[in-house]
């Protein structure tokens, strides 16, 4: 099982984003949180900022949409050429249709669930998605503590992915650090979003390598 580390630029210096993404070139992707101050009580940036990041980033962009009306807006982000677009099932009336539109536009299609959302209804359509994101904090703000109660949801998702025999990345986002990544990896996650654990470190490359090594160590055993 491959391990992917994706630093979140939510904790980066917004005034120097080109330089900030350059500092994480050893990561697998840049995790870009798009918030609309409607679906979540925070406002970050929209398609024009993502388009500029796509133009200057040395590694692929994994866009996480924390916005309302994903049916209308999600495909536009895929059309910018990013690696993947993840939308929340709580913000979509037709998750499968949205995922198909994202794929048709050339991006990987991801679906995310909040901590309080039942995962079961979406496990029946795993083949329609390329990534499943289990939030391990309430979406909206960085720096929150890891919700250990979500580990069972991660494990249930891993069991369903394995049983279906599909190539779906299992991502966790929220409170990921050296202390929590091992538990998330043991539950079956393979793709990890880390904010302050990377951007708060003195040596970003070392922080990325440390997180990767910790998750890989769990998977090997």
């Amino acid at each position: 099982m491959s391990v992917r580390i994706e630093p979140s630029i939510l904790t980066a210096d917004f005034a120097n984003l080109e330089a900030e993404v350059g500092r994480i070139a050893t990561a697998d992707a840049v995790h870009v949180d798009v918030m609309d101050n409607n679906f979540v009580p925070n406002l970050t940036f929209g398609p024009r900022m993502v388009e500029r990041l796509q133009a200057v980033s040395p590694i692929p962009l994994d866009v996480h949409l924390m916005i309302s009306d994903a049916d209308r807006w999600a495909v536009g982000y895929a059309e910018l050429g990013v690696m993947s677009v993840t939308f929340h099932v709580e913000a979509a009336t037709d998750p499968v249709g949205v995922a198909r539109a994202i794929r048709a536009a050339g991006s990987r299609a991801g679906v995310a669930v909040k901590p309080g959302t039942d995962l079961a209804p979406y496990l029946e359509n795993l083949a329609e998605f390329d990534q499943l994101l289990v939030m391990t904090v309430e979406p909206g703000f960085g720096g929150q503590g890891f919700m250990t109660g979500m580990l069972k949801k991660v494990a249930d998702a891993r069991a369903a992915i394995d049983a279906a025999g599909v190539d779906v990345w299992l991502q966790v986002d929220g409170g990921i650090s050296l202390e929590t990544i091992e538990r998330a990896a043991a539950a079956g996650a393979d793709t990890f979003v880390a904010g302050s654990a990377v951007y708060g470190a003195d040596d970003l490359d070392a922080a990325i390598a440390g997180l990767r090594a910790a998750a890989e160590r769990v998977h090997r055993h």
Side-chain angles (χ1 to χ4, degrees):
M1 186 186 300
S2 297
V3 167
R4 286 166 288 273
I5 305 298
E6 301 186 357
S8 168
I9 59 169
L10 193 60
T11 49
D13 179 359
F14 279 18
N16 298 284
L17 283 180
E18 181 174 359
E20 291 288 78
V21 295
R23 296 172 69 204
I24 56 169
T26 57
D28 297 281
V30 183
H31 190 80
V32 182
D33 292 303
V34 174
M35 307 183 193
D36 63 357
N37 201 31
N38 186 351
F39 180 70
V40 292
N42 197 359
L43 182 67
T44 54
F45 29 69
R48 298 289 73 79
M49 180 68 80
V50 173
E51 184 176 35
R52 289 299 300 136
L53 280 172
Q54 173 68 13
V56 301
S57 177
I59 53 178
L61 266 57
D62 175 28
V63 177
H64 177 194
L65 300 179
M66 287 175 268
I67 63 175
S68 300
D69 199 3
D71 303 73
R72 176 181 180 184
W73 298 111
V75 69
Y77 286 88
E79 290 169 347
L80 298 176
V82 302
M83 175 187 72
S84 63
V85 176
T86 297
F87 63 94
H88 273 264
V89 295
E90 303 91 352
T93 57
D94 180 14
V96 169
V98 176
R100 288 177 177 175
I102 290 170
R103 281 178 165 178
S107 294
R108 294 173 56 85
V111 65
V113 291
K114 290 182 177 182
T117 299
D118 184 12
L119 192 61
Y122 309 101
L123 298 180
E124 300 173 1
N125 295 308
L126 281 173
E128 299 286 354
F129 310 118
D130 300 296
Q131 179 166 272
L132 175 59
L133 167 54
V134 176
M135 293 297 299
T136 44
V137 297
E138 288 293 342
F141 292 92
Q144 299 182 64
F146 182 84
M147 298 173 67
T148 58
M150 295 300 103
L151 290 173
K152 183 182 185 303
K153 185 181 286 189
V154 176
D156 289 346
R158 170 51 59 196
I161 290 169
D162 291 348
V166 290
D167 181 20
V168 177
W169 296 359
L170 180 52
Q171 185 179 65
V172 288
D173 180 2
I176 295 300
S177 65
L178 280 175
E179 290 69 41
T180 60
I181 195 169
E182 292 186 355
R183 282 180 283 170
D190 53 33
T191 306
F192 306 88
V193 178
S196 54
V198 173
Y199 276 109
D202 292 330
D203 186 332
L204 274 64
D205 287 343
I208 292 166
L211 290 167
R212 190 188 308 280
E216 288 178 341
R217 188 163 53 247
V218 171
H219 286 177
R220 282 197 301 270
H221 295 92

